[in-house]
Amino acid sequence: YQRGQIEMLQASKMAAVGQFAAGVAHELNSPLAAALLQLSLLEELSEDPSLAPNFKIARDALKHAQHIIHRLLFYSREGGIGSRLIDLNMVVQDTLVLLGHQLRVEHVEVRLELAEDALEIFVNPNDIQQILTNLVLNARDAYSPGSDSRAALIRTGRQDGFCWVCVEDRGMGIDPAIRERIFEPFFTTKEVGRGTGLGLYVSR
């Protein structure tokens, strides 16, 4: 009972963090756009051609920040935005943009083997992105603490009229004794604060 309360509290905290992040992303959009505009004006007024590489570095960094915020806002929208035609490969790549910093900090190498052709499917893209986020973070957590080699492989493809995506790792695996419980809500083998026990439940 006590563990269930802790997990419920953690899930509530994660939801609050998501709402806060969306609000911060909205607030950052305007100053980033203003910075890009001022940078463009400065570049036009500059008479020193040697500064061109510096302007490009600054412009690329601001645009990269805008792209991350755009993906964050897209991900934070409510699931009721509805289904539409999307490219599964693009959803994979957008998900990794959001998770990129976290994976780099924790030294997780993600390798992609995506289908060469676009994999167009009619779904709610937020749902697919949430599933991919859960699976990639589970792959990250599948390794022993302090493991030198932490990697995940994401593959996509098409077979018999269906598109598929697969997330693989070479971690410890799932103990057969608990394998039947992994889709239960709030069931987790992770330490408190590391996981809510809702990832696979929500994904399913």
Side-chain angles (χ1 to χ4, degrees), residues 8-189:
M8 186 75 76
L9 177 61
Q10 183 65 18
S12 176
K13 285 182 180 178
M14 292 299 291
V17 168
Q19 292 175 347
F20 175 73
V24 170
H26 274 293
E27 292 297 325
L28 287 176
N29 260 337
S30 294
L32 277 175
L36 268 171
L37 177 60
Q38 294 301 316
L39 183 65
S40 297
L41 292 174
L42 287 173
E43 190 171 13
E44 290 178 8
L45 293 173
S46 174
E47 298 179 357
D48 186 351
S50 67
L51 293 177
N54 302 86
F55 282 122
K56 183 179 185 307
I57 291 172
R59 185 170 55 253
D60 289 347
L62 288 170
K63 286 184 176 180
H64 181 61
Q66 280 188 320
H67 179 67
I68 292 175
I69 288 173
H70 174 73
R71 301 319 308 167
L72 180 61
L73 287 172
F74 172 82
Y75 183 57
S76 66
R77 291 173 190 158
E78 293 185 12
I81 64 172
S83 298
R84 59 185 176 87
L85 198 63
I86 63 165
D87 179 2
L88 183 58
N89 288 337
M90 289 299 298
V91 178
V92 170
Q93 292 168 337
D94 286 343
T95 302
L96 291 180
V97 168
L98 287 179
L99 298 177
H101 175 73
Q102 189 173 357
L103 296 174
R104 286 193 298 272
V105 166
E106 303 202 26
H107 307 291
V108 180
E109 178 187 0
V110 178
R111 190 158 53 92
L112 297 178
E113 292 182 6
L114 305 182
E116 293 183 3
D117 299 327
L119 298 177
E120 292 189 331
I121 52 177
F122 192 76
V123 293
N124 183 325
N126 276 357
D127 290 346
I128 301 300
Q129 198 166 49
Q130 184 172 10
I131 292 169
L132 282 168
T133 296
N134 291 334
L135 294 179
V136 170
L137 293 182
N138 277 358
R140 173 203 65 183
D141 294 336
Y143 295 90
S144 302
S147 176
D148 293 331
S149 178
R150 307 175 75 187
L153 169 64
I154 304 179
R155 299 183 293 121
T156 62
R158 180 187 289 109
Q159 185 176 3
D160 299 329
F162 291 91
C163 295
W164 54 265
V165 57
C166 177
V167 180
E168 301 179 18
D169 64 71
R170 293 291 182 268
M172 297 177 289
I174 301 172
D175 187 339
I178 63 169
R179 197 167 292 168
E180 298 299 320
R181 301 191 59 196
I182 62 173
F183 291 107
E184 291 181 12
F186 303 113
F187 176 79
T188 180
T189 58

